[in-house]
Amino acid sequence: MKVFTAICLILCLTVACSKEPAITEDMLDGGTLFDPSLYQPEKYLVSRAIPTPTPAQANTPVIIACHGYTATTFEWDEFRTWLGNRTDVYLSQVLLGGHGRTYEEFKKSTWRDWQEAITAEYERLEKAGYKNISLLGSSTSGPLLLELVSSGYFTRHLPPRNFILVDPIVIPSDKTLSLVPLLGPMLGYIDTKQSAQEDKVYYHFRPQETLQQLQKLLTLVRRDLEKGISLPAGSRLTVYKAKQDPAADPISAVLIYKGVKLSTGGPPDVQLIDSDRHVFTRLQFVEGVTEKDYKTQKDTFAAILAQALAP
């Protein structure tokens, strides 16, 4: 018992845990700032902007971009800016369920709530007649998308043309996450210590309830990868993984490579990126960004676009 207590104390000191967070109105958690897609969904979701597409529009590639845990649609804003006013591809930026709202709403959400926002947009596009859809996921959206495949979701729906994952997390770099199911109630929450600018678009505090949900999702997906996941016929999978990732252990890419097969039996395309940033495609508000970082970001954006436009 003494050892257990000591571990709890050390963990709490390490991750700055407490029972009640000190939330201010300047934070996304504070109940004043919300993700803009909640106010103007037509600016973020193709299904809302073009609910009744022409035949030409229905054949235009659509990329559904899904962000990571504690993030918002902001995570893919730079990709939208990079795309500019292109008309040969559409972009939907999905806000995961429970995210972009109050701290309490986030705290109550489950990983299935997070995932439901992805399937909701997918099914609206499918129902409207869109025929060429790619799914782009960063960080936690990686396992959310893999779980959709392993659960058989796409046996009942139009198969995506592409699954494109940026820094998907299967194994966390911070191994203390594995202790959350045991120590969660004692943790309360984790203070991210992020910048004031990031506080407006990412949750500053990580409730232990949501960390437990994340752990449940990752455990489930790891088991699915061990059993083997087969992509739908005609779907491709590409993984872009930073070599030195402070959030998602690079071994995540290895597990995906070994655990996922194309319908033809071949392996997915896994590319290791020379970066030490998590979700290296998001550089706004990041400290110490270099010209190399910007080039890596733009090169990856170009590769994502090429995949979406490929037949």
Side-chain angles (χ1 to χ4, degrees):
M1 181 60 71
K2 289 182 179 180
V3 174
F4 178 78
T5 303
I7 292 174
C8 294
L9 178 59
I10 292 171
L11 185 58
C12 283
L13 290 173
T14 302
V15 300
C17 59
S18 179
K19 289 294 183 182
E20 296 297 332
I23 301 175
T24 71
E25 290 186 353
D26 294 328
M27 297 176 177
L28 178 63
D29 322 49
T32 301
L33 302 176
F34 301 105
D35 190 90
S37 68
L38 296 172
Y39 302 114
Q40 295 180 303
E42 69 279 1
K43 290 188 175 183
Y44 290 84
L45 301 175
V46 175
S47 67
R48 301 304 191 193
I50 314 174
T52 310
T54 65
Q57 289 172 326
N59 284 302
T60 300
V62 180
I63 301 172
I64 301 178
C66 319
H67 61 80
Y69 169 74
T70 78
T72 59
T73 56
F74 170 81
E75 197 152 83
W76 288 108
D77 277 357
E78 289 161 271
F79 184 45
R80 180 178 290 278
T81 299
W82 181 85
L83 286 173
N85 296 317
R86 302 184 69 106
T87 57
D88 58 343
V89 66
Y90 299 137
L91 178 65
S92 275
Q93 287 171 263
V94 167
L95 178 66
L96 298 186
H99 288 66
R101 301 163 175 86
T102 66
Y103 176 83
E104 287 302 320
E105 287 179 272
F106 181 45
K107 185 176 177 180
K108 294 175 183 177
S109 66
T110 68
W111 69 262
R112 291 195 180 277
D113 294 328
W114 309 345
Q115 187 186 66
E116 192 277 334
I118 301 172
T119 57
E121 173 64 0
Y122 197 91
E123 290 172 26
R124 284 193 297 265
L125 291 170
E126 182 183 29
K127 185 176 181 179
Y130 288 93
K131 297 178 174 58
N132 185 342
I133 305 173
S134 293
L135 286 162
L136 169 63
S138 56
S139 193
T140 297
S141 277
L144 289 175
L145 295 177
L146 290 174
E147 196 283 331
L148 282 178
V149 178
S150 64
S151 68
Y153 175 82
F154 293 106
T155 63
R156 308 182 300 276
H157 295 278
L158 174 75
R161 189 67 56 88
N162 296 284
F163 293 91
I164 307 170
L165 309 183
V166 175
D167 284 338
I169 181 170
V170 178
I171 301 290
S173 294
D174 183 358
K175 301 306 184 283
T176 58
L177 182 62
S178 63
L179 298 176
V180 169
L182 181 64
L183 306 178
M186 299 183 68
L187 287 173
Y189 67 88
I190 291 179
D191 186 336
T192 62
K193 303 297 184 182
Q194 64 193 17
S195 69
Q197 290 176 308
E198 290 177 308
D199 279 350
K200 299 180 186 299
V201 289
Y202 293 89
Y203 286 110
H204 186 99
F205 299 103
R206 299 181 174 184
Q208 62 90 10
E209 293 89 347
T210 61
L211 288 168
Q212 293 208 45
Q213 289 297 315
L214 176 59
Q215 178 67 5
K216 287 179 180 180
L217 170 65
L218 298 186
T219 300
L220 177 62
V221 170
R222 283 196 296 270
R223 290 173 181 169
D224 289 340
L225 288 170
E226 289 174 3
K227 296 175 184 177
I229 298 175
S230 295
L231 293 180
S235 294
R236 301 174 292 232
L237 170 61
T238 304
V239 177
Y240 298 98
K241 188 73 193 70
K243 291 181 179 178
Q244 298 178 348
D245 189 329
D249 193 311
I251 197 67
S252 298
V254 177
L255 294 180
I256 293 173
Y257 182 81
K258 290 183 175 181
V260 179
K261 299 296 182 186
L262 306 182
S263 63
T264 57
D269 179 16
V270 175
Q271 301 184 28
L272 295 180
I273 305 300
D274 187 14
S275 174
D276 59 0
R277 304 187 183 281
H278 181 58
V279 188
F280 60 87
T281 47
R282 192 275 293 190
L283 298 177
Q284 191 173 357
F285 302 152
V286 175
E287 295 183 356
V289 177
T290 65
E291 287 302 316
K292 178 185 174 183
D293 291 326
Y294 284 120
K295 184 179 186 306
T296 299
Q297 180 196 57
K298 291 177 181 177
D299 287 348
T300 305
F301 285 166
I304 291 170
L305 176 62
Q307 288 167 282
L309 294 176

